Amino acid sequence: MMRLCAVLVLSLLGGVVSVHAAPAPHPHWSVGFHRMSFLDPLDAQPMKAIAFYPSTDAERTTALGAYHVAASEDAKVAIGRFPMLMLSHGNTGTPLALHDLATALARKGFVVVAVLHPGDNYKDHSRLGTVSNLYGRPIQISQAITAALAEPMLSPFVDIDQIGVIGYSAGGETALILAGAKPDFERLRRYCQERPEDRDACTTKGELVVDRDDLQPQADPRIHALMLMAPLSLMFGRHT
């Protein structure tokens, strides 16, 4: 059956692959969204995500905080098995800043789960610049995958063999770790010694606060593809 490739993604798990949307041609889909809540694996406190998905309901725009999002809450899910993309935002950010991307992908036949990273979002900076944030973000995305696959409203419509990650800025760093890349702290230190004027990367002179010594970079074998947007990649070399 012919399938529509909606985005090009680069997999670190064995070459170039693509995550495909639902079979084409398809009817005109609107977008629904569903709020998710589950426990942060770092401290067992609640964390949140919003899943965007193809819907057969009427078009609607919903106010979510400061954003007007072209989606309807808990609208009827379109029949099918759709690829799932996890969305990881940048430092001190919000996934809703990328709501246009999420809804555009949902219209093309993807489920997009936009995660709000605890300790590193627009309201809470408590983990910024720490080891727990670097290694914790990927673990949070893995937990969000598990939660989405257990969500009764979503799980019947997700193709579990087609899961990818969209990472923006620090979210790109998160995606790379999920794909098996290993951060090199010394590489970041050297960069900041050479370019101390880089305020985005070197405000702490390339040093991370070691607030947890029990965390390690964890890849997730369920992830088969990445889409990286302006990734923070200074800690990753060619052979990571």
Side-chain angles (χ1 to χ4, degrees):
M1 181 178 293
M2 296 297 293
R3 301 178 74 83
L4 171 69
C5 180
V7 292
L8 178 66
V9 288
L10 176 64
S11 170
L12 299 186
L13 308 179
V16 176
V17 298
S18 59
V19 171
H20 296 80
H26 60 73
H28 174 73
W29 283 317
S30 59
V31 182
F33 72 90
H34 179 66
R35 301 175 199 258
M36 296 172 53
S37 180
F38 46 96
L39 296 183
D40 182 351
L42 298 188
D43 59 11
Q45 294 301 304
M47 62 178 289
K48 297 179 180 180
I50 297 179
F52 297 92
Y53 54 84
S55 172
T56 54
D57 281 2
E59 299 276 356
R60 184 181 173 188
T61 297
T62 304
L64 293 175
Y67 299 93
H68 290 85
V69 181
S72 179
E73 186 164 11
D74 291 337
K76 183 178 180 180
V77 186
I79 300 300
R81 285 277 185 176
F82 303 107
M84 184 167 69
L85 299 173
M86 313 305 293
L87 178 58
S88 180
H89 62 76
N91 287 142
T92 70
T94 168
L96 287 176
L98 298 170
H99 69 86
D100 285 339
L101 174 61
T103 55
L105 287 168
R107 291 179 192 281
K108 292 292 187 180
F110 291 91
V111 173
V112 181
V113 179
V115 175
L116 185 70
H117 286 287
D120 186 11
N121 60 65
Y122 70 107
K123 287 185 176 180
D124 178 7
H125 303 177
S126 59
R127 290 180 182 148
L128 191 63
T130 66
V131 168
S132 68
N133 196 43
L134 176 66
Y135 292 157
R137 276 169 146 262
I139 298 171
Q140 290 165 350
I141 293 293
S142 289
Q143 186 65 25
I145 294 173
T146 299
L149 295 179
E151 184 71 35
M153 183 177 179
L154 297 175
S155 59
F157 306 98
V158 172
D159 183 344
I160 62 174
D161 295 321
Q162 291 203 79
I163 298 176
V165 179
I166 301 172
Y168 171 68
S169 190
E173 189 176 68
T174 298
L176 287 167
I177 293 174
L178 284 163
K182 304 291 186 182
D184 181 348
F185 293 169
E186 184 57 34
R187 181 182 174 89
L188 177 61
R189 292 188 191 100
R190 289 197 305 268
Y191 173 87
C192 289
Q193 288 171 359
E194 296 169 2
R195 298 174 179 84
E197 71 283 357
D198 186 341
R199 295 183 180 180
D200 289 332
C202 301
T203 53
T204 60
K205 299 182 180 180
E207 299 288 342
L208 296 181
V209 176
V210 183
D211 59 332
R212 295 277 295 264
D213 59 8
D214 60 327
L215 299 177
Q216 295 294 325
Q218 292 186 22
D220 192 321
R222 296 173 295 183
I223 293 167
H224 299 294
L226 306 181
M227 178 178 174
L228 307 180
M229 300 184 294
L232 279 181
S233 55
L234 292 172
M235 280 188 282
F236 303 97
R238 182 174 300 176
H239 302 293
T240 59

